Amino acid sequence: MDILKEINGASTIGIGGHIRPDGDCIGSVMGLYLYLSKVCPGVEIQIFLEKPADIFSCISRIGQIRTDFHTEVEQFDVFFALDTTKERMGKAESYFDQAKKRINIDHHISNSGCGDVNYLMPEASSTSELIYDLMKDRSQIDVEIAKALYIGIIHDTGVFQYSNTSPSTLKAAAELISYGFDFPKLIDETFYEKTYVQNQILGRALLESFLFMNGKCAVSMVDKKTMSFYEAQPHDLDGIVNQLRKTKGVECAIFLYQLDTLEYKVSLRSNGKVNVEKVASFFGGGGHERAAGVTMQGTFHDIVNNLSAQIAVQLRETSRWDVPGGSHVPRNY
Ligand code: AMP
Ligand code: MN
């Protein structure tokens, strides 16, 4: 895809990503925004996302993000949906729908394309890596663009740790750090550093976690009451599911947090044997083979029951969760 050809003649461009934006979503949106602002100076470009976490304030012009969405829809000549399907865009979906031309760029295997033009590469580490590949005019890339894309890549690869890291990911990262920014500081401050409250909730979620399916699944949950006790936002829970995944013997980690009385956001992580994208897609979500998510309705118990039945099929295990006396469910559940 030639981005400049695709936007040729446009006088207004919109860019959006998914709800509860993560590092890759923010990095790719900001990277593309900074790049297009330079290469098409006369074009009005607007970016729409939910408010990014404070850790991303190091990204240049992050304050330009519009978190207000008018009810009467503005029509853009071109609208980009990055790192998402249109259904996950939240309020920006209507802007995307009404645009004269819709462009979808994503690396989620569950995305079959929702634009007039689709650039879908499930083998790519991140949408930020894709955006970097699409910046054909390398001379326009500057340190601020490089920083935004680098942040996106480190967040979706767990700092080059996950199996989605490829030689081309590392090549892109190598080229990006050549623009000269303090990348160890960026990695620490946007990826590893936790606030006191984030550590407290992580500790609590680990303490209350339990194993089932012969130790192959680890599950934990944070309810609304706990969220409000800690005044925690969803992004304060990042990393919990990954820590569960690291438990020795665990093939699949499940983490839920409560959105409403009978509604939970589910995160799934796999160590390779379980394709969690299949599990999430079965319930209407999506993602990647080793990292996927879905929003589900029901009680905590019912949701874990339903998920574990799907996981059990892949592991050729019986779902231990339902066997009386067979699951290690703490009394308070
Ligand atoms: P999460 O568990 O929310 O960190 O998500 C893990 C991966 O799955 C990320 O790449 C998300 O973008 C993706 N994902 C999460 N929820 C959904 C969903 N409902 N539909 C499609 N992809 C999702
Ligand atoms: Mn991504």
Side-chain angles (χ1 to χ4, degrees), residues 256-293:
L256 290 83
Y257 70 85
Q258 194 177 23
L259 297 169
D260 218 323
T261 315
L262 287 174
E263 188 174 55
Y264 292 81
K265 166 68 176 59
V266 179
S267 283
L268 300 164
R269 296 293 184 274
S270 163
N271 281 323
K273 284 204 181 128
V274 179
N275 179 341
V276 287
E277 187 274 330
K278 269 194 185 165
V279 178
S281 295
F282 186 84
F283 298 104
H288 314 280
E289 281 183 20
R290 292 188 182 214

PDB file of all heavy atoms in Angstrom, residues 256-293:
ATOM      1  N   LEU A 256      -9.680 -11.369  34.452  1.00  0.00           N
ATOM      2  CA  LEU A 256     -10.925 -10.635  34.210  1.00  0.00           C
ATOM      3  C   LEU A 256     -10.967  -9.403  35.096  1.00  0.00           C
ATOM      4  O   LEU A 256     -10.505  -9.456  36.243  1.00  0.00           O
ATOM      5  CB  LEU A 256     -12.143 -11.476  34.588  1.00  0.00           C
ATOM      6  CG  LEU A 256     -12.535 -12.691  33.769  1.00  0.00           C
ATOM      7  CD1 LEU A 256     -11.734 -13.909  34.195  1.00  0.00           C
ATOM      8  CD2 LEU A 256     -14.015 -12.974  33.955  1.00  0.00           C
ATOM      9  N   TYR A 257     -11.499  -8.327  34.580  1.00  0.00           N
ATOM     10  CA  TYR A 257     -11.901  -7.262  35.492  1.00  0.00           C
ATOM     11  C   TYR A 257     -13.325  -6.865  35.173  1.00  0.00           C
ATOM     12  O   TYR A 257     -13.787  -6.955  34.034  1.00  0.00           O
ATOM     13  CB  TYR A 257     -10.927  -6.079  35.503  1.00  0.00           C
ATOM     14  CG  TYR A 257     -10.881  -5.220  34.268  1.00  0.00           C
ATOM     15  CD1 TYR A 257     -11.790  -4.162  34.088  1.00  0.00           C
ATOM     16  CD2 TYR A 257      -9.916  -5.425  33.297  1.00  0.00           C
ATOM     17  CE1 TYR A 257     -11.734  -3.360  32.973  1.00  0.00           C
ATOM     18  CE2 TYR A 257      -9.860  -4.629  32.172  1.00  0.00           C
ATOM     19  CZ  TYR A 257     -10.765  -3.598  32.011  1.00  0.00           C
ATOM     20  OH  TYR A 257     -10.712  -2.803  30.889  1.00  0.00           O
ATOM     21  N   GLN A 258     -13.986  -6.446  36.232  1.00  0.00           N
ATOM     22  CA  GLN A 258     -15.420  -6.227  36.122  1.00  0.00           C
ATOM     23  C   GLN A 258     -15.719  -4.864  35.503  1.00  0.00           C
ATOM     24  O   GLN A 258     -15.195  -3.842  35.950  1.00  0.00           O
ATOM     25  CB  GLN A 258     -16.035  -6.316  37.521  1.00  0.00           C
ATOM     26  CG  GLN A 258     -17.530  -6.447  37.520  1.00  0.00           C
ATOM     27  CD  GLN A 258     -18.074  -6.596  38.934  1.00  0.00           C
ATOM     28  OE1 GLN A 258     -17.438  -6.198  39.901  1.00  0.00           O
ATOM     29  NE2 GLN A 258     -19.254  -7.165  39.044  1.00  0.00           N
ATOM     30  N   LEU A 259     -16.569  -4.862  34.474  1.00  0.00           N
ATOM     31  CA  LEU A 259     -17.007  -3.602  33.862  1.00  0.00           C
ATOM     32  C   LEU A 259     -18.347  -3.174  34.437  1.00  0.00           C
ATOM     33  O   LEU A 259     -18.634  -2.012  34.627  1.00  0.00           O
ATOM     34  CB  LEU A 259     -17.152  -3.771  32.340  1.00  0.00           C
ATOM     35  CG  LEU A 259     -15.883  -4.098  31.545  1.00  0.00           C
ATOM     36  CD1 LEU A 259     -16.233  -4.493  30.120  1.00  0.00           C
ATOM     37  CD2 LEU A 259     -14.931  -2.914  31.542  1.00  0.00           C
ATOM     38  N   ASP A 260     -19.191  -4.171  34.676  1.00  0.00           N
ATOM     39  CA  ASP A 260     -20.525  -3.929  35.212  1.00  0.00           C
ATOM     40  C   ASP A 260     -20.943  -5.163  36.021  1.00  0.00           C
ATOM     41  O   ASP A 260     -20.216  -6.153  36.027  1.00  0.00           O
ATOM     42  CB  ASP A 260     -21.508  -3.691  34.052  1.00  0.00           C
ATOM     43  CG  ASP A 260     -22.513  -2.610  34.428  1.00  0.00           C
ATOM     44  OD1 ASP A 260     -22.908  -2.581  35.615  1.00  0.00           O
ATOM     45  OD2 ASP A 260     -22.884  -1.806  33.562  1.00  0.00           O
ATOM     46  N   THR A 261     -22.147  -5.111  36.632  1.00  0.00           N
ATOM     47  CA  THR A 261     -22.556  -6.210  37.519  1.00  0.00           C
ATOM     48  C   THR A 261     -22.324  -7.580  36.869  1.00  0.00           C
ATOM     49  O   THR A 261     -21.717  -8.450  37.458  1.00  0.00           O
ATOM     50  CB  THR A 261     -24.057  -6.072  37.883  1.00  0.00           C
ATOM     51  OG1 THR A 261     -24.283  -4.707  38.205  1.00  0.00           O
ATOM     52  CG2 THR A 261     -24.433  -6.963  39.051  1.00  0.00           C
ATOM     53  N   LEU A 262     -22.798  -7.718  35.626  1.00  0.00           N
ATOM     54  CA  LEU A 262     -22.640  -9.012  34.956  1.00  0.00           C
ATOM     55  C   LEU A 262     -21.853  -8.865  33.660  1.00  0.00           C
ATOM     56  O   LEU A 262     -22.179  -9.475  32.640  1.00  0.00           O
ATOM     57  CB  LEU A 262     -24.017  -9.631  34.679  1.00  0.00           C
ATOM     58  CG  LEU A 262     -24.759 -10.191  35.897  1.00  0.00           C
ATOM     59  CD1 LEU A 262     -26.163 -10.644  35.526  1.00  0.00           C
ATOM     60  CD2 LEU A 262     -23.979 -11.340  36.544  1.00  0.00           C
ATOM     61  N   GLU A 263     -20.824  -8.038  33.706  1.00  0.00           N
ATOM     62  CA  GLU A 263     -20.015  -7.834  32.501  1.00  0.00           C
ATOM     63  C   GLU A 263     -18.537  -7.731  32.878  1.00  0.00           C
ATOM     64  O   GLU A 263     -18.174  -6.992  33.793  1.00  0.00           O
ATOM     65  CB  GLU A 263     -20.462  -6.566  31.770  1.00  0.00           C
ATOM     66  CG  GLU A 263     -19.793  -6.424  30.416  1.00  0.00           C
ATOM     67  CD  GLU A 263     -20.346  -5.252  29.617  1.00  0.00           C
ATOM     68  OE1 GLU A 263     -20.333  -4.115  30.143  1.00  0.00           O
ATOM     69  OE2 GLU A 263     -20.765  -5.474  28.469  1.00  0.00           O
ATOM     70  N   TYR A 264     -17.704  -8.492  32.174  1.00  0.00           N
ATOM     71  CA  TYR A 264     -16.278  -8.527  32.480  1.00  0.00           C
ATOM     72  C   TYR A 264     -15.443  -8.378  31.211  1.00  0.00           C
ATOM     73  O   TYR A 264     -15.805  -8.901  30.158  1.00  0.00           O
ATOM     74  CB  TYR A 264     -15.895  -9.860  33.128  1.00  0.00           C
ATOM     75  CG  TYR A 264     -16.468 -10.039  34.516  1.00  0.00           C
ATOM     76  CD1 TYR A 264     -17.787 -10.470  34.690  1.00  0.00           C
ATOM     77  CD2 TYR A 264     -15.700  -9.768  35.642  1.00  0.00           C
ATOM     78  CE1 TYR A 264     -18.325 -10.636  35.962  1.00  0.00           C
ATOM     79  CE2 TYR A 264     -16.238  -9.935  36.919  1.00  0.00           C
ATOM     80  CZ  TYR A 264     -17.536 -10.360  37.068  1.00  0.00           C
ATOM     81  OH  TYR A 264     -18.061 -10.519  38.325  1.00  0.00           O
ATOM     82  N   LYS A 265     -14.315  -7.669  31.345  1.00  0.00           N
ATOM     83  CA  LYS A 265     -13.317  -7.655  30.271  1.00  0.00           C
ATOM     84  C   LYS A 265     -12.370  -8.809  30.553  1.00  0.00           C
ATOM     85  O   LYS A 265     -11.833  -8.930  31.657  1.00  0.00           O
ATOM     86  CB  LYS A 265     -12.566  -6.315  30.279  1.00  0.00           C
ATOM     87  CG  LYS A 265     -11.290  -6.271  29.452  1.00  0.00           C
ATOM     88  CD  LYS A 265     -11.581  -6.366  27.967  1.00  0.00           C
ATOM     89  CE  LYS A 265     -10.340  -6.239  27.114  1.00  0.00           C
ATOM     90  NZ  LYS A 265      -9.277  -7.193  27.315  1.00  0.00           N
ATOM     91  N   VAL A 266     -12.197  -9.664  29.560  1.00  0.00           N
ATOM     92  CA  VAL A 266     -11.364 -10.854  29.715  1.00  0.00           C
ATOM     93  C   VAL A 266     -10.075 -10.698  28.922  1.00  0.00           C
ATOM     94  O   VAL A 266     -10.099 -10.291  27.753  1.00  0.00           O
ATOM     95  CB  VAL A 266     -12.114 -12.106  29.183  1.00  0.00           C
ATOM     96  CG1 VAL A 266     -11.249 -13.351  29.305  1.00  0.00           C
ATOM     97  CG2 VAL A 266     -13.444 -12.289  29.899  1.00  0.00           C
ATOM     98  N   SER A 267      -8.950 -11.001  29.542  1.00  0.00           N
ATOM     99  CA  SER A 267      -7.667 -11.062  28.840  1.00  0.00           C
ATOM    100  C   SER A 267      -7.156 -12.489  28.897  1.00  0.00           C
ATOM    101  O   SER A 267      -7.177 -13.115  29.963  1.00  0.00           O
ATOM    102  CB  SER A 267      -6.637 -10.160  29.524  1.00  0.00           C
ATOM    103  OG  SER A 267      -6.877  -8.824  29.190  1.00  0.00           O
ATOM    104  N   LEU A 268      -6.681 -12.977  27.767  1.00  0.00           N
ATOM    105  CA  LEU A 268      -6.162 -14.348  27.700  1.00  0.00           C
ATOM    106  C   LEU A 268      -4.725 -14.317  27.195  1.00  0.00           C
ATOM    107  O   LEU A 268      -4.406 -13.571  26.261  1.00  0.00           O
ATOM    108  CB  LEU A 268      -7.011 -15.175  26.722  1.00  0.00           C
ATOM    109  CG  LEU A 268      -8.497 -15.318  27.057  1.00  0.00           C
ATOM    110  CD1 LEU A 268      -9.273 -15.811  25.842  1.00  0.00           C
ATOM    111  CD2 LEU A 268      -8.688 -16.273  28.224  1.00  0.00           C
ATOM    112  N   ARG A 269      -3.867 -15.122  27.797  1.00  0.00           N
ATOM    113  CA  ARG A 269      -2.490 -15.240  27.331  1.00  0.00           C
ATOM    114  C   ARG A 269      -2.109 -16.713  27.283  1.00  0.00           C
ATOM    115  O   ARG A 269      -2.519 -17.495  28.145  1.00  0.00           O
ATOM    116  CB  ARG A 269      -1.507 -14.512  28.261  1.00  0.00           C
ATOM    117  CG  ARG A 269      -1.699 -13.003  28.346  1.00  0.00           C
ATOM    118  CD  ARG A 269      -1.377 -12.290  27.044  1.00  0.00           C
ATOM    119  NE  ARG A 269      -1.477 -10.844  27.188  1.00  0.00           N
ATOM    120  CZ  ARG A 269      -2.612 -10.143  27.044  1.00  0.00           C
ATOM    121  NH1 ARG A 269      -3.747 -10.760  26.742  1.00  0.00           N
ATOM    122  NH2 ARG A 269      -2.600  -8.835  27.176  1.00  0.00           N
ATOM    123  N   SER A 270      -1.318 -17.083  26.277  1.00  0.00           N
ATOM    124  CA  SER A 270      -0.935 -18.473  26.103  1.00  0.00           C
ATOM    125  C   SER A 270       0.575 -18.603  26.019  1.00  0.00           C
ATOM    126  O   SER A 270       1.265 -17.680  25.591  1.00  0.00           O
ATOM    127  CB  SER A 270      -1.570 -18.997  24.812  1.00  0.00           C
ATOM    128  OG  SER A 270      -0.937 -20.178  24.394  1.00  0.00           O
ATOM    129  N   ASN A 271       1.066 -19.773  26.414  1.00  0.00           N
ATOM    130  CA  ASN A 271       2.492 -20.044  26.242  1.00  0.00           C
ATOM    131  C   ASN A 271       2.763 -20.834  24.966  1.00  0.00           C
ATOM    132  O   ASN A 271       3.868 -21.301  24.761  1.00  0.00           O
ATOM    133  CB  ASN A 271       3.039 -20.780  27.475  1.00  0.00           C
ATOM    134  CG  ASN A 271       3.285 -19.803  28.609  1.00  0.00           C
ATOM    135  OD1 ASN A 271       3.704 -18.669  28.369  1.00  0.00           O
ATOM    136  ND2 ASN A 271       3.019 -20.214  29.833  1.00  0.00           N
ATOM    137  N   GLY A 272       1.740 -20.999  24.130  1.00  0.00           N
ATOM    138  CA  GLY A 272       1.963 -21.620  22.821  1.00  0.00           C
ATOM    139  C   GLY A 272       1.031 -22.774  22.504  1.00  0.00           C
ATOM    140  O   GLY A 272       0.677 -22.981  21.357  1.00  0.00           O
ATOM    141  N   LYS A 273       0.627 -23.535  23.519  1.00  0.00           N
ATOM    142  CA  LYS A 273      -0.203 -24.716  23.230  1.00  0.00           C
ATOM    143  C   LYS A 273      -1.652 -24.359  22.932  1.00  0.00           C
ATOM    144  O   LYS A 273      -2.320 -25.046  22.173  1.00  0.00           O
ATOM    145  CB  LYS A 273      -0.153 -25.695  24.408  1.00  0.00           C
ATOM    146  CG  LYS A 273       1.146 -26.472  24.462  1.00  0.00           C
ATOM    147  CD  LYS A 273       1.000 -27.788  25.206  1.00  0.00           C
ATOM    148  CE  LYS A 273       2.336 -28.509  25.243  1.00  0.00           C
ATOM    149  NZ  LYS A 273       2.729 -28.907  26.598  1.00  0.00           N
ATOM    150  N   VAL A 274      -2.131 -23.292  23.553  1.00  0.00           N
ATOM    151  CA  VAL A 274      -3.523 -22.897  23.338  1.00  0.00           C
ATOM    152  C   VAL A 274      -3.555 -21.679  22.424  1.00  0.00           C
ATOM    153  O   VAL A 274      -2.817 -20.718  22.637  1.00  0.00           O
ATOM    154  CB  VAL A 274      -4.207 -22.530  24.688  1.00  0.00           C
ATOM    155  CG1 VAL A 274      -5.651 -22.100  24.465  1.00  0.00           C
ATOM    156  CG2 VAL A 274      -4.139 -23.704  25.659  1.00  0.00           C
ATOM    157  N   ASN A 275      -4.390 -21.760  21.389  1.00  0.00           N
ATOM    158  CA  ASN A 275      -4.583 -20.596  20.527  1.00  0.00           C
ATOM    159  C   ASN A 275      -5.700 -19.753  21.158  1.00  0.00           C
ATOM    160  O   ASN A 275      -6.881 -20.045  20.988  1.00  0.00           O
ATOM    161  CB  ASN A 275      -4.962 -21.069  19.125  1.00  0.00           C
ATOM    162  CG  ASN A 275      -5.201 -19.915  18.167  1.00  0.00           C
ATOM    163  OD1 ASN A 275      -5.423 -18.777  18.593  1.00  0.00           O
ATOM    164  ND2 ASN A 275      -5.156 -20.203  16.887  1.00  0.00           N
ATOM    165  N   VAL A 276      -5.302 -18.713  21.890  1.00  0.00           N
ATOM    166  CA  VAL A 276      -6.317 -17.958  22.641  1.00  0.00           C
ATOM    167  C   VAL A 276      -7.153 -17.046  21.735  1.00  0.00           C
ATOM    168  O   VAL A 276      -8.247 -16.634  22.116  1.00  0.00           O
ATOM    169  CB  VAL A 276      -5.703 -17.154  23.822  1.00  0.00           C
ATOM    170  CG1 VAL A 276      -5.303 -18.086  24.950  1.00  0.00           C
ATOM    171  CG2 VAL A 276      -4.555 -16.264  23.385  1.00  0.00           C
ATOM    172  N   GLU A 277      -6.645 -16.784  20.541  1.00  0.00           N
ATOM    173  CA  GLU A 277      -7.453 -15.995  19.595  1.00  0.00           C
ATOM    174  C   GLU A 277      -8.721 -16.774  19.245  1.00  0.00           C
ATOM    175  O   GLU A 277      -9.802 -16.203  19.132  1.00  0.00           O
ATOM    176  CB  GLU A 277      -6.622 -15.675  18.342  1.00  0.00           C
ATOM    177  CG  GLU A 277      -7.300 -14.724  17.365  1.00  0.00           C
ATOM    178  CD  GLU A 277      -8.226 -15.432  16.381  1.00  0.00           C
ATOM    179  OE1 GLU A 277      -7.972 -16.606  16.045  1.00  0.00           O
ATOM    180  OE2 GLU A 277      -9.222 -14.815  15.962  1.00  0.00           O
ATOM    181  N   LYS A 278      -8.570 -18.107  19.099  1.00  0.00           N
ATOM    182  CA  LYS A 278      -9.730 -18.968  18.796  1.00  0.00           C
ATOM    183  C   LYS A 278     -10.730 -18.926  19.947  1.00  0.00           C
ATOM    184  O   LYS A 278     -11.938 -18.882  19.739  1.00  0.00           O
ATOM    185  CB  LYS A 278      -9.270 -20.423  18.612  1.00  0.00           C
ATOM    186  CG  LYS A 278      -8.927 -20.777  17.193  1.00  0.00           C
ATOM    187  CD  LYS A 278      -8.833 -22.297  17.099  1.00  0.00           C
ATOM    188  CE  LYS A 278      -8.369 -22.734  15.737  1.00  0.00           C
ATOM    189  NZ  LYS A 278      -7.947 -24.144  15.741  1.00  0.00           N
ATOM    190  N   VAL A 279     -10.201 -18.949  21.161  1.00  0.00           N
ATOM    191  CA  VAL A 279     -11.076 -18.934  22.349  1.00  0.00           C
ATOM    192  C   VAL A 279     -11.826 -17.598  22.409  1.00  0.00           C
ATOM    193  O   VAL A 279     -13.045 -17.550  22.561  1.00  0.00           O
ATOM    194  CB  VAL A 279     -10.259 -19.153  23.647  1.00  0.00           C
ATOM    195  CG1 VAL A 279     -11.163 -19.099  24.871  1.00  0.00           C
ATOM    196  CG2 VAL A 279      -9.499 -20.483  23.594  1.00  0.00           C
ATOM    197  N   ALA A 280     -11.075 -16.504  22.242  1.00  0.00           N
ATOM    198  CA  ALA A 280     -11.706 -15.173  22.314  1.00  0.00           C
ATOM    199  C   ALA A 280     -12.703 -14.975  21.178  1.00  0.00           C
ATOM    200  O   ALA A 280     -13.808 -14.456  21.393  1.00  0.00           O
ATOM    201  CB  ALA A 280     -10.630 -14.089  22.284  1.00  0.00           C
ATOM    202  N   SER A 281     -12.343 -15.406  19.973  1.00  0.00           N
ATOM    203  CA  SER A 281     -13.238 -15.241  18.812  1.00  0.00           C
ATOM    204  C   SER A 281     -14.540 -16.007  19.009  1.00  0.00           C
ATOM    205  O   SER A 281     -15.598 -15.559  18.584  1.00  0.00           O
ATOM    206  CB  SER A 281     -12.577 -15.749  17.525  1.00  0.00           C
ATOM    207  OG  SER A 281     -11.479 -14.969  17.221  1.00  0.00           O
ATOM    208  N   PHE A 282     -14.441 -17.165  19.651  1.00  0.00           N
ATOM    209  CA  PHE A 282     -15.624 -17.977  19.899  1.00  0.00           C
ATOM    210  C   PHE A 282     -16.681 -17.182  20.674  1.00  0.00           C
ATOM    211  O   PHE A 282     -17.873 -17.352  20.486  1.00  0.00           O
ATOM    212  CB  PHE A 282     -15.222 -19.232  20.699  1.00  0.00           C
ATOM    213  CG  PHE A 282     -16.328 -20.220  20.902  1.00  0.00           C
ATOM    214  CD1 PHE A 282     -16.636 -21.164  19.936  1.00  0.00           C
ATOM    215  CD2 PHE A 282     -17.090 -20.209  22.074  1.00  0.00           C
ATOM    216  CE1 PHE A 282     -17.659 -22.080  20.116  1.00  0.00           C
ATOM    217  CE2 PHE A 282     -18.124 -21.116  22.270  1.00  0.00           C
ATOM    218  CZ  PHE A 282     -18.407 -22.054  21.284  1.00  0.00           C
ATOM    219  N   PHE A 283     -16.205 -16.270  21.516  1.00  0.00           N
ATOM    220  CA  PHE A 283     -17.132 -15.463  22.324  1.00  0.00           C
ATOM    221  C   PHE A 283     -17.276 -14.034  21.790  1.00  0.00           C
ATOM    222  O   PHE A 283     -17.753 -13.149  22.499  1.00  0.00           O
ATOM    223  CB  PHE A 283     -16.665 -15.447  23.787  1.00  0.00           C
ATOM    224  CG  PHE A 283     -16.657 -16.818  24.417  1.00  0.00           C
ATOM    225  CD1 PHE A 283     -15.471 -17.506  24.608  1.00  0.00           C
ATOM    226  CD2 PHE A 283     -17.853 -17.426  24.790  1.00  0.00           C
ATOM    227  CE1 PHE A 283     -15.467 -18.776  25.177  1.00  0.00           C
ATOM    228  CE2 PHE A 283     -17.865 -18.693  25.356  1.00  0.00           C
ATOM    229  CZ  PHE A 283     -16.672 -19.377  25.550  1.00  0.00           C
ATOM    230  N   GLY A 284     -16.811 -13.800  20.552  1.00  0.00           N
ATOM    231  CA  GLY A 284     -17.018 -12.490  19.928  1.00  0.00           C
ATOM    232  C   GLY A 284     -15.861 -11.520  20.069  1.00  0.00           C
ATOM    233  O   GLY A 284     -15.956 -10.374  19.644  1.00  0.00           O
ATOM    234  N   GLY A 285     -14.761 -11.953  20.654  1.00  0.00           N
ATOM    235  CA  GLY A 285     -13.574 -11.085  20.767  1.00  0.00           C
ATOM    236  C   GLY A 285     -12.561 -11.415  19.708  1.00  0.00           C
ATOM    237  O   GLY A 285     -12.912 -11.874  18.623  1.00  0.00           O
ATOM    238  N   GLY A 286     -11.293 -11.199  20.024  1.00  0.00           N
ATOM    239  CA  GLY A 286     -10.257 -11.487  19.044  1.00  0.00           C
ATOM    240  C   GLY A 286      -8.880 -11.175  19.577  1.00  0.00           C
ATOM    241  O   GLY A 286      -8.705 -11.014  20.785  1.00  0.00           O
ATOM    242  N   GLY A 287      -7.924 -11.070  18.665  1.00  0.00           N
ATOM    243  CA  GLY A 287      -6.546 -10.755  19.060  1.00  0.00           C
ATOM    244  C   GLY A 287      -5.555 -11.573  18.287  1.00  0.00           C
ATOM    245  O   GLY A 287      -5.636 -11.665  17.064  1.00  0.00           O
ATOM    246  N   HIS A 288      -4.641 -12.197  19.015  1.00  0.00           N
ATOM    247  CA  HIS A 288      -3.562 -12.972  18.405  1.00  0.00           C
ATOM    248  C   HIS A 288      -3.526 -14.366  19.036  1.00  0.00           C
ATOM    249  O   HIS A 288      -4.168 -14.593  20.051  1.00  0.00           O
ATOM    250  CB  HIS A 288      -2.213 -12.281  18.660  1.00  0.00           C
ATOM    251  CG  HIS A 288      -2.242 -10.816  18.395  1.00  0.00           C
ATOM    252  ND1 HIS A 288      -2.157 -10.290  17.131  1.00  0.00           N
ATOM    253  CD2 HIS A 288      -2.386  -9.765  19.234  1.00  0.00           C
ATOM    254  CE1 HIS A 288      -2.230  -8.976  17.202  1.00  0.00           C
ATOM    255  NE2 HIS A 288      -2.373  -8.621  18.466  1.00  0.00           N
ATOM    256  N   GLU A 289      -2.710 -15.263  18.433  1.00  0.00           N
ATOM    257  CA  GLU A 289      -2.661 -16.633  18.955  1.00  0.00           C
ATOM    258  C   GLU A 289      -2.276 -16.694  20.429  1.00  0.00           C
ATOM    259  O   GLU A 289      -2.767 -17.514  21.186  1.00  0.00           O
ATOM    260  CB  GLU A 289      -1.664 -17.464  18.145  1.00  0.00           C
ATOM    261  CG  GLU A 289      -2.248 -17.919  16.822  1.00  0.00           C
ATOM    262  CD  GLU A 289      -1.307 -18.814  16.037  1.00  0.00           C
ATOM    263  OE1 GLU A 289      -0.383 -19.397  16.638  1.00  0.00           O
ATOM    264  OE2 GLU A 289      -1.493 -18.913  14.819  1.00  0.00           O
ATOM    265  N   ARG A 290      -1.355 -15.828  20.838  1.00  0.00           N
ATOM    266  CA  ARG A 290      -0.873 -15.898  22.227  1.00  0.00           C
ATOM    267  C   ARG A 290      -1.385 -14.777  23.134  1.00  0.00           C
ATOM    268  O   ARG A 290      -1.042 -14.739  24.314  1.00  0.00           O
ATOM    269  CB  ARG A 290       0.655 -15.876  22.241  1.00  0.00           C
ATOM    270  CG  ARG A 290       1.254 -17.134  21.648  1.00  0.00           C
ATOM    271  CD  ARG A 290       2.736 -17.132  21.864  1.00  0.00           C
ATOM    272  NE  ARG A 290       3.361 -18.302  21.278  1.00  0.00           N
ATOM    273  CZ  ARG A 290       4.418 -18.911  21.789  1.00  0.00           C
ATOM    274  NH1 ARG A 290       4.958 -18.463  22.901  1.00  0.00           N
ATOM    275  NH2 ARG A 290       4.945 -19.960  21.195  1.00  0.00           N
ATOM    276  N   ALA A 291      -2.150 -13.856  22.574  1.00  0.00           N
ATOM    277  CA  ALA A 291      -2.698 -12.755  23.393  1.00  0.00           C
ATOM    278  C   ALA A 291      -4.016 -12.326  22.786  1.00  0.00           C
ATOM    279  O   ALA A 291      -4.069 -11.899  21.634  1.00  0.00           O
ATOM    280  CB  ALA A 291      -1.737 -11.577  23.420  1.00  0.00           C
ATOM    281  N   ALA A 292      -5.088 -12.480  23.536  1.00  0.00           N
ATOM    282  CA  ALA A 292      -6.389 -12.121  22.977  1.00  0.00           C
ATOM    283  C   ALA A 292      -7.301 -11.597  24.076  1.00  0.00           C
ATOM    284  O   ALA A 292      -7.016 -11.748  25.268  1.00  0.00           O
ATOM    285  CB  ALA A 292      -7.021 -13.348  22.307  1.00  0.00           C
ATOM    286  N   GLY A 293      -8.385 -10.973  23.666  1.00  0.00           N
ATOM    287  CA  GLY A 293      -9.298 -10.388  24.642  1.00  0.00           C
ATOM    288  C   GLY A 293     -10.733 -10.437  24.164  1.00  0.00           C
ATOM    289  O   GLY A 293     -11.014 -10.626  22.977  1.00  0.00           O
TER     290      GLY A 293
END
